[in-house]
């Protein structure tokens, strides 16, 4: 086998390392992609290692998403130094854009809820300090509510800045 990963224990440590550094739970396809950062990782060994970590309580599954448990964090802290620095650096480089996207997804939220008069569209945006913006609008139909929610998720900064621009504009 080519690479720095040589056995199932290395793969288990790699999985724990990745989940420990993920900003939020990730799906199996993403975990698989991140784990294939070394030529020594075999998909079937990886899948078996992930299953064993799940069975042993080192990682948890909620629907389609996987996260590390406290038990997994302790094991990762004790064993991560045995992972090659090259593998850790590759993981960290591949994790950076993912974590940025996960963090943004957690900071920008929308929800459409039925009401007797229509649908409430709840929009919220946070930064590292806390809440920046929250707004609830009444939409006449669920379709309109979903469209508003989707537009907000795609362009939260434009909507936030547009509202601020109107509210802070000088009156003529």
């Amino acid at each position: 086998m080519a690479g720095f990963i040589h056995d199932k224990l290395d793969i288990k440590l790699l999985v724990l390392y990745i989940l420990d550094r993920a900003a939020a739970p990730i799906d199996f396809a993403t975990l698989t992609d991140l784990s294939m950062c070394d030529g020594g990782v075999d998909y079937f060994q990886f899948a078996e290692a992930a299953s064993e970590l799940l069975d042993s309580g080192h990682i948890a599954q909620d629907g389609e998403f996987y996260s590390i448990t406290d038990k997994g964090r302790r094991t990762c802290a004790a064993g991560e130094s045995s992972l090659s620095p090259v593998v850790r650096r590759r993981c960290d480089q591949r994790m950076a854009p993912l974590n940025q996207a996960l963090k943004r997804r957690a900071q920008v939220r929308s929800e459409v809820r039925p009401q007797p008069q229509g649908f409430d569209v709840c929009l919220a945006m946070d930064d590292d300090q806390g809440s920046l913006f929250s707004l609830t609008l009444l939409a006449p139909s669920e379709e309109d509510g979903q469209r508003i929610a989707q537009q907000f998720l795609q362009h939260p900064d434009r909507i936030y800045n547009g509202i601020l621009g109107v509210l802070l504009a000088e009156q003529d």
Side-chain angles (χ1 to χ4, degrees), residues 33-63:
D33 182 54
L34 292 168
S35 297
M36 297 297 158
C37 65
D38 184 74
V41 178
D42 172 77
Y43 173 79
F44 297 104
Q45 282 186 319
F46 158 76
E48 188 176 333
S51 177
E52 289 175 9
L53 287 170
L54 193 56
D55 291 343
S56 67
H58 286 86
I59 65 176
Q61 182 179 7
D62 184 14

Side-chain angles (χ1 to χ4, degrees), residues 77-96:
E80 77 179 46
S81 63
S82 67
L83 275 177
S84 162
V86 173
V87 171
R88 289 191 308 234
R89 187 172 46 253
R90 284 180 195 158
C91 282
D92 293 343
Q93 288 171 344
R94 296 176 84 188
M95 293 288 299

